[in-house]
Short mmCIF file of all heavy atoms in Angstrom, two decimals:
data_model
loop_
_atom_site.label_atom_id
_atom_site.label_comp_id
_atom_site.label_asym_id
_atom_site.label_seq_id
_atom_site.Cartn_x
_atom_site.Cartn_y
_atom_site.Cartn_z
N ALA A 1 3.21 -14.75 9.84
CA ALA A 1 4.19 -14.22 8.89
C ALA A 1 5.24 -13.41 9.62
O ALA A 1 5.01 -12.91 10.72
CB ALA A 1 3.50 -13.36 7.84
N VAL A 2 6.38 -13.29 8.98
CA VAL A 2 7.47 -12.46 9.46
C VAL A 2 7.64 -11.33 8.46
O VAL A 2 7.63 -11.56 7.25
CB VAL A 2 8.78 -13.28 9.56
CG1 VAL A 2 9.93 -12.41 9.99
CG2 VAL A 2 8.60 -14.46 10.48
N VAL A 3 7.77 -10.10 8.96
CA VAL A 3 7.86 -8.92 8.09
C VAL A 3 9.24 -8.30 8.22
O VAL A 3 9.75 -8.15 9.33
CB VAL A 3 6.78 -7.88 8.47
CG1 VAL A 3 6.89 -6.64 7.60
CG2 VAL A 3 5.39 -8.50 8.39
N GLY A 4 9.80 -7.93 7.09
CA GLY A 4 11.10 -7.27 7.09
C GLY A 4 11.19 -6.28 5.94
O GLY A 4 10.22 -6.08 5.21
N ARG A 5 12.34 -5.66 5.80
CA ARG A 5 12.58 -4.69 4.72
C ARG A 5 13.89 -5.03 4.03
O ARG A 5 14.83 -5.49 4.66
CB ARG A 5 12.67 -3.28 5.26
CG ARG A 5 11.48 -2.82 6.06
CD ARG A 5 10.55 -1.89 5.49
NE ARG A 5 11.04 -0.86 4.64
CZ ARG A 5 10.24 -0.16 3.87
NH1 ARG A 5 8.97 -0.40 3.89
NH2 ARG A 5 10.70 0.78 3.10
N SER A 6 13.92 -4.76 2.75
CA SER A 6 15.14 -4.86 1.96
C SER A 6 15.20 -3.61 1.12
O SER A 6 14.38 -3.43 0.21
CB SER A 6 15.11 -6.11 1.07
OG SER A 6 16.24 -6.13 0.24
N ASP A 7 16.10 -2.71 1.46
CA ASP A 7 16.13 -1.38 0.84
C ASP A 7 14.78 -0.72 1.08
O ASP A 7 14.35 -0.59 2.20
CB ASP A 7 16.51 -1.45 -0.64
CG ASP A 7 17.92 -1.98 -0.86
OD1 ASP A 7 18.80 -1.61 -0.05
OD2 ASP A 7 18.12 -2.75 -1.79
N SER A 8 14.07 -0.37 0.02
CA SER A 8 12.77 0.30 0.18
C SER A 8 11.60 -0.65 -0.03
O SER A 8 10.45 -0.21 -0.10
CB SER A 8 12.66 1.47 -0.81
OG SER A 8 12.71 0.97 -2.14
N LEU A 9 11.85 -1.97 -0.12
CA LEU A 9 10.78 -2.94 -0.37
C LEU A 9 10.47 -3.76 0.88
O LEU A 9 11.34 -4.02 1.70
CB LEU A 9 11.19 -3.89 -1.50
CG LEU A 9 11.46 -3.25 -2.86
CD1 LEU A 9 11.94 -4.31 -3.84
CD2 LEU A 9 10.22 -2.55 -3.38
N TRP A 10 9.21 -4.19 1.00
CA TRP A 10 8.78 -5.07 2.08
C TRP A 10 9.13 -6.50 1.71
O TRP A 10 9.04 -6.89 0.56
CB TRP A 10 7.27 -4.97 2.30
CG TRP A 10 6.84 -3.66 2.85
CD1 TRP A 10 6.29 -2.62 2.17
CD2 TRP A 10 6.95 -3.24 4.20
NE1 TRP A 10 6.06 -1.58 3.02
CE2 TRP A 10 6.44 -1.94 4.27
CE3 TRP A 10 7.42 -3.85 5.36
CZ2 TRP A 10 6.40 -1.23 5.47
CZ3 TRP A 10 7.37 -3.14 6.55
CH2 TRP A 10 6.86 -1.84 6.59
N VAL A 11 9.48 -7.29 2.70
CA VAL A 11 9.71 -8.72 2.53
C VAL A 11 8.83 -9.43 3.55
O VAL A 11 8.98 -9.22 4.75
CB VAL A 11 11.19 -9.09 2.74
CG1 VAL A 11 11.39 -10.59 2.61
CG2 VAL A 11 12.08 -8.33 1.79
N ILE A 12 7.91 -10.26 3.07
CA ILE A 12 6.99 -10.99 3.93
C ILE A 12 7.34 -12.46 3.83
O ILE A 12 7.37 -13.03 2.73
CB ILE A 12 5.51 -10.80 3.49
CG1 ILE A 12 5.17 -9.32 3.28
CG2 ILE A 12 4.57 -11.49 4.45
CD1 ILE A 12 5.22 -8.47 4.51
N GLY A 13 7.61 -13.10 4.95
CA GLY A 13 7.91 -14.53 4.98
C GLY A 13 6.76 -15.27 5.62
O GLY A 13 6.35 -14.94 6.73
N VAL A 14 6.22 -16.25 4.92
CA VAL A 14 5.10 -17.04 5.43
C VAL A 14 5.64 -18.19 6.27
O VAL A 14 6.53 -18.92 5.83
CB VAL A 14 4.25 -17.61 4.26
CG1 VAL A 14 3.12 -18.48 4.78
CG2 VAL A 14 3.70 -16.46 3.42
N GLU A 15 5.11 -18.33 7.49
CA GLU A 15 5.50 -19.43 8.37
C GLU A 15 4.54 -20.59 8.14
O GLU A 15 3.34 -20.44 8.27
CB GLU A 15 5.46 -18.99 9.83
CG GLU A 15 6.49 -17.94 10.18
CD GLU A 15 6.47 -17.58 11.65
OE1 GLU A 15 5.61 -18.05 12.41
OE2 GLU A 15 7.34 -16.78 12.05
N GLY A 16 5.07 -21.72 7.78
CA GLY A 16 4.25 -22.90 7.53
C GLY A 16 4.18 -23.21 6.05
O GLY A 16 4.55 -22.40 5.20
N ALA A 17 3.70 -24.39 5.77
CA ALA A 17 3.62 -24.86 4.38
C ALA A 17 2.20 -24.72 3.85
O ALA A 17 1.24 -25.03 4.54
CB ALA A 17 4.06 -26.31 4.31
N LEU A 18 2.10 -24.23 2.62
CA LEU A 18 0.80 -24.16 1.94
C LEU A 18 0.42 -25.56 1.47
O LEU A 18 1.27 -26.43 1.34
CB LEU A 18 0.89 -23.23 0.73
CG LEU A 18 1.29 -21.78 0.98
CD1 LEU A 18 1.32 -21.02 -0.33
CD2 LEU A 18 0.35 -21.12 1.96
N PRO A 19 -0.88 -25.78 1.21
CA PRO A 19 -1.27 -27.07 0.63
C PRO A 19 -0.49 -27.34 -0.66
O PRO A 19 -0.17 -26.41 -1.41
CB PRO A 19 -2.77 -26.87 0.34
CG PRO A 19 -3.21 -25.81 1.32
CD PRO A 19 -2.02 -24.90 1.45
N ALA A 20 -0.17 -28.60 -0.91
CA ALA A 20 0.70 -28.98 -2.03
C ALA A 20 0.19 -28.49 -3.38
O ALA A 20 0.98 -28.16 -4.26
CB ALA A 20 0.87 -30.49 -2.06
N ALA A 21 -1.10 -28.45 -3.58
CA ALA A 21 -1.66 -28.06 -4.89
C ALA A 21 -1.67 -26.55 -5.12
O ALA A 21 -1.93 -26.10 -6.22
CB ALA A 21 -3.08 -28.59 -5.02
N VAL A 22 -1.37 -25.75 -4.10
CA VAL A 22 -1.43 -24.29 -4.21
C VAL A 22 -0.15 -23.75 -4.82
O VAL A 22 0.95 -24.08 -4.37
CB VAL A 22 -1.68 -23.64 -2.83
CG1 VAL A 22 -1.57 -22.13 -2.91
CG2 VAL A 22 -3.04 -24.04 -2.30
N LYS A 23 -0.30 -22.92 -5.84
CA LYS A 23 0.83 -22.26 -6.50
C LYS A 23 0.63 -20.75 -6.40
O LYS A 23 -0.06 -20.15 -7.21
CB LYS A 23 0.92 -22.67 -7.98
CG LYS A 23 1.02 -24.16 -8.20
CD LYS A 23 2.31 -24.72 -7.62
CE LYS A 23 2.41 -26.20 -7.89
NZ LYS A 23 2.63 -27.01 -6.74
N PRO A 24 1.21 -20.10 -5.36
CA PRO A 24 1.00 -18.67 -5.19
C PRO A 24 1.53 -17.87 -6.37
O PRO A 24 2.57 -18.21 -6.94
CB PRO A 24 1.74 -18.34 -3.90
CG PRO A 24 2.68 -19.46 -3.68
CD PRO A 24 2.13 -20.65 -4.38
N GLY A 25 0.79 -16.80 -6.72
CA GLY A 25 1.19 -15.95 -7.83
C GLY A 25 1.59 -14.55 -7.40
O GLY A 25 2.47 -13.94 -7.97
N PHE A 26 0.89 -14.01 -6.37
CA PHE A 26 1.21 -12.68 -5.85
C PHE A 26 0.49 -12.47 -4.52
O PHE A 26 -0.47 -13.16 -4.20
CB PHE A 26 0.83 -11.58 -6.85
CG PHE A 26 -0.64 -11.45 -7.12
CD1 PHE A 26 -1.39 -10.46 -6.50
CD2 PHE A 26 -1.29 -12.30 -8.01
CE1 PHE A 26 -2.75 -10.32 -6.76
CE2 PHE A 26 -2.64 -12.18 -8.28
CZ PHE A 26 -3.37 -11.18 -7.65
N GLY A 27 0.99 -11.49 -3.75
CA GLY A 27 0.38 -11.12 -2.49
C GLY A 27 -0.10 -9.68 -2.56
O GLY A 27 0.44 -8.87 -3.32
N VAL A 28 -1.11 -9.37 -1.75
CA VAL A 28 -1.64 -8.01 -1.66
C VAL A 28 -1.63 -7.60 -0.19
O VAL A 28 -2.31 -8.20 0.63
CB VAL A 28 -3.08 -7.90 -2.22
CG1 VAL A 28 -3.61 -6.48 -2.06
CG2 VAL A 28 -3.13 -8.34 -3.67
N LEU A 29 -0.84 -6.58 0.13
CA LEU A 29 -0.83 -6.00 1.47
C LEU A 29 -2.09 -5.16 1.61
O LEU A 29 -2.33 -4.25 0.81
CB LEU A 29 0.41 -5.13 1.68
CG LEU A 29 0.48 -4.35 2.99
CD1 LEU A 29 0.53 -5.30 4.19
CD2 LEU A 29 1.68 -3.43 2.99
N VAL A 30 -2.92 -5.48 2.61
CA VAL A 30 -4.18 -4.77 2.83
C VAL A 30 -3.99 -3.77 3.96
O VAL A 30 -3.66 -4.16 5.09
CB VAL A 30 -5.32 -5.75 3.16
CG1 VAL A 30 -6.62 -5.00 3.41
CG2 VAL A 30 -5.49 -6.78 2.04
N LEU A 31 -4.19 -2.49 3.65
CA LEU A 31 -4.13 -1.42 4.65
C LEU A 31 -5.53 -0.88 4.87
O LEU A 31 -6.32 -0.78 3.92
CB LEU A 31 -3.25 -0.26 4.16
CG LEU A 31 -1.80 -0.58 3.82
CD1 LEU A 31 -1.12 0.66 3.24
CD2 LEU A 31 -1.06 -1.07 5.03
N ASP A 32 -5.84 -0.51 6.12
CA ASP A 32 -7.13 0.12 6.38
C ASP A 32 -7.04 1.62 6.10
O ASP A 32 -6.00 2.12 5.67
CB ASP A 32 -7.63 -0.19 7.79
CG ASP A 32 -6.77 0.40 8.91
OD1 ASP A 32 -5.96 1.33 8.64
OD2 ASP A 32 -6.91 -0.05 10.05
N GLN A 33 -8.12 2.33 6.34
CA GLN A 33 -8.17 3.76 6.03
C GLN A 33 -7.17 4.58 6.85
O GLN A 33 -6.81 5.68 6.47
CB GLN A 33 -9.58 4.31 6.24
CG GLN A 33 -10.62 3.70 5.30
CD GLN A 33 -10.33 4.03 3.85
OE1 GLN A 33 -9.49 3.41 3.22
NE2 GLN A 33 -11.04 5.00 3.33
N GLY A 34 -6.74 4.04 7.98
CA GLY A 34 -5.75 4.72 8.82
C GLY A 34 -4.32 4.32 8.46
O GLY A 34 -3.39 4.61 9.20
N ALA A 35 -4.14 3.63 7.35
CA ALA A 35 -2.84 3.16 6.85
C ALA A 35 -2.21 2.11 7.77
O ALA A 35 -1.00 1.93 7.78
CB ALA A 35 -1.89 4.32 6.59
N ARG A 36 -3.04 1.40 8.55
CA ARG A 36 -2.55 0.30 9.38
C ARG A 36 -2.64 -1.00 8.58
O ARG A 36 -3.68 -1.28 7.97
CB ARG A 36 -3.37 0.19 10.66
CG ARG A 36 -3.11 1.33 11.64
CD ARG A 36 -3.99 1.21 12.88
NE ARG A 36 -5.41 1.23 12.55
CZ ARG A 36 -6.15 2.33 12.45
NH1 ARG A 36 -5.61 3.52 12.64
NH2 ARG A 36 -7.43 2.26 12.16
N ALA A 37 -1.58 -1.78 8.62
CA ALA A 37 -1.57 -3.06 7.91
C ALA A 37 -2.54 -4.03 8.59
O ALA A 37 -2.51 -4.21 9.80
CB ALA A 37 -0.17 -3.64 7.90
N ARG A 38 -3.41 -4.63 7.79
CA ARG A 38 -4.34 -5.65 8.28
C ARG A 38 -3.77 -7.04 8.07
O ARG A 38 -4.00 -7.94 8.86
CB ARG A 38 -5.67 -5.52 7.55
CG ARG A 38 -6.32 -4.17 7.63
CD ARG A 38 -7.16 -4.04 8.80
NE ARG A 38 -8.16 -5.11 8.74
CZ ARG A 38 -9.21 -5.20 9.50
NH1 ARG A 38 -9.43 -4.27 10.37
NH2 ARG A 38 -10.05 -6.19 9.41
N GLY A 39 -3.05 -7.23 6.97
CA GLY A 39 -2.47 -8.53 6.64
C GLY A 39 -2.19 -8.59 5.15
O GLY A 39 -2.34 -7.60 4.43
N VAL A 40 -1.80 -9.75 4.70
CA VAL A 40 -1.50 -9.98 3.29
C VAL A 40 -2.41 -11.08 2.77
O VAL A 40 -2.52 -12.14 3.38
CB VAL A 40 -0.02 -10.38 3.08
CG1 VAL A 40 0.24 -10.79 1.64
CG2 VAL A 40 0.90 -9.25 3.50
N MET A 41 -3.08 -10.81 1.65
CA MET A 41 -3.87 -11.83 0.96
C MET A 41 -2.96 -12.44 -0.10
O MET A 41 -2.32 -11.71 -0.87
CB MET A 41 -5.10 -11.22 0.30
CG MET A 41 -6.09 -10.61 1.26
SD MET A 41 -6.89 -11.79 2.37
CE MET A 41 -7.96 -12.65 1.25
N LEU A 42 -2.89 -13.76 -0.15
CA LEU A 42 -2.04 -14.47 -1.10
C LEU A 42 -2.93 -15.10 -2.17
O LEU A 42 -3.82 -15.88 -1.85
CB LEU A 42 -1.22 -15.53 -0.37
CG LEU A 42 -0.13 -16.23 -1.13
CD1 LEU A 42 0.92 -15.23 -1.64
CD2 LEU A 42 0.53 -17.28 -0.26
N PHE A 43 -2.68 -14.74 -3.43
CA PHE A 43 -3.49 -15.18 -4.55
C PHE A 43 -2.70 -16.13 -5.45
O PHE A 43 -1.50 -15.98 -5.60
CB PHE A 43 -3.92 -13.99 -5.42
CG PHE A 43 -4.90 -13.08 -4.75
CD1 PHE A 43 -4.47 -12.09 -3.88
CD2 PHE A 43 -6.26 -13.19 -5.01
CE1 PHE A 43 -5.38 -11.23 -3.27
CE2 PHE A 43 -7.16 -12.34 -4.41
CZ PHE A 43 -6.73 -11.35 -3.54
N GLU A 44 -3.41 -17.05 -6.08
CA GLU A 44 -2.83 -17.84 -7.16
C GLU A 44 -3.02 -17.04 -8.44
O GLU A 44 -3.80 -16.10 -8.49
CB GLU A 44 -3.52 -19.19 -7.26
CG GLU A 44 -3.26 -20.08 -6.06
CD GLU A 44 -3.78 -21.48 -6.23
OE1 GLU A 44 -3.05 -22.30 -6.79
OE2 GLU A 44 -4.92 -21.73 -5.80
N GLY A 45 -2.33 -17.40 -9.50
CA GLY A 45 -2.48 -16.71 -10.78
C GLY A 45 -1.42 -15.65 -10.98
O GLY A 45 -0.52 -15.47 -10.17
N ILE A 46 -1.57 -14.94 -12.09
CA ILE A 46 -0.57 -13.93 -12.44
C ILE A 46 -0.86 -12.62 -11.70
O ILE A 46 -2.01 -12.31 -11.40
CB ILE A 46 -0.52 -13.70 -13.96
CG1 ILE A 46 -1.87 -13.23 -14.49
CG2 ILE A 46 -0.07 -14.95 -14.69
CD1 ILE A 46 -1.85 -12.80 -15.94
#
């Protein structure tokens, strides 16, 4: 992924194509207890 900022919001760009049947609904930025980013989980659904 590529990470950027737009004003005060994060912008995450996924490199590569998801499987055709996948319809992403939202992402969750996962931080550890030290506030270090671990990655983003991408979920289907609302």
